[in-house]
Amino acid sequence: MATIKQLQSTLKLTFGIVPIVAGLDKFTNLLTNWVDYLGNNKSMIPFDPLTFMKMVGVIEIIAGILVLVRPLIGAYVVMAWLICIALQLIIGGHYFDVAVRDLVMAIGAYTLAQLTKMQTAGNR
């Protein structure tokens, strides 16, 4: 049976690496054309959408590193970030499948935070 530490470590790596990879891809668009996810909201951004997505990429890279270094705080940051992305997609009226996926991932990030709390409490 997996221990709390094993589960926490698996989620920590997942929520550390995935945001870093997604953030880096904002500079290359190898996985997808990230600007498309802005939908009709492109006109609300006061500068070039590609520049905006690169800024998003930097935030995601920092969030991933934060999860790896400070998993409790990082997990909450990633959870909030994923919820915001899902809400933006829902409001934009497109990519509902991605919005649902991001909400499920936010639940996973919350789970990481709770497991990290349990692991920390167990070490006292």
Side-chain angles (χ1 to χ4, degrees):
M1 181 190 299
T3 65
I4 290 173
K5 184 169 179 59
Q6 290 169 325
L7 296 170
Q8 188 257 354
S9 293
T10 300
L11 289 171
K12 177 179 162 183
L13 284 175
T14 300
F15 287 101
I17 294 171
V18 171
I20 292 170
V21 170
L24 289 171
D25 195 56
K26 301 296 189 291
F27 293 88
T28 63
N29 289 311
L30 294 174
L31 297 174
T32 190
N33 183 5
W34 294 99
V35 171
D36 290 346
Y37 287 96
L38 294 174
N40 297 332
N41 296 330
K42 288 178 200 166
S43 61
M44 297 172 63
I45 300 170
F47 40 86
D48 179 59
L50 284 173
T51 302
F52 177 76
M53 292 313 290
K54 288 179 181 179
M55 291 168 48
V56 168
V58 169
I59 293 168
E60 290 175 341
I61 292 166
I62 292 169
I65 292 169
L66 188 58
V67 169
L68 295 173
V69 176
R70 300 285 308 262
L72 181 61
I73 296 167
Y76 283 124
V77 168
V78 169
M79 178 191 76
W81 186 253
L82 288 164
I83 291 169
C84 289
I85 292 169
L87 290 173
Q88 185 273 323
L89 292 172
I90 291 166
I91 291 167
H94 299 288
Y95 302 106
F96 294 118
D97 57 326
V98 177
V100 169
R101 181 210 60 202
D102 284 355
L103 290 172
V104 170
M105 288 174 50
I107 293 167
Y110 175 77
T111 302
L112 170 59
Q114 296 307 303
L115 289 172
T116 301
K117 278 185 183 178
M118 291 171 69
Q119 181 66 22
T120 304
N123 288 336
R124 289 185 188 164

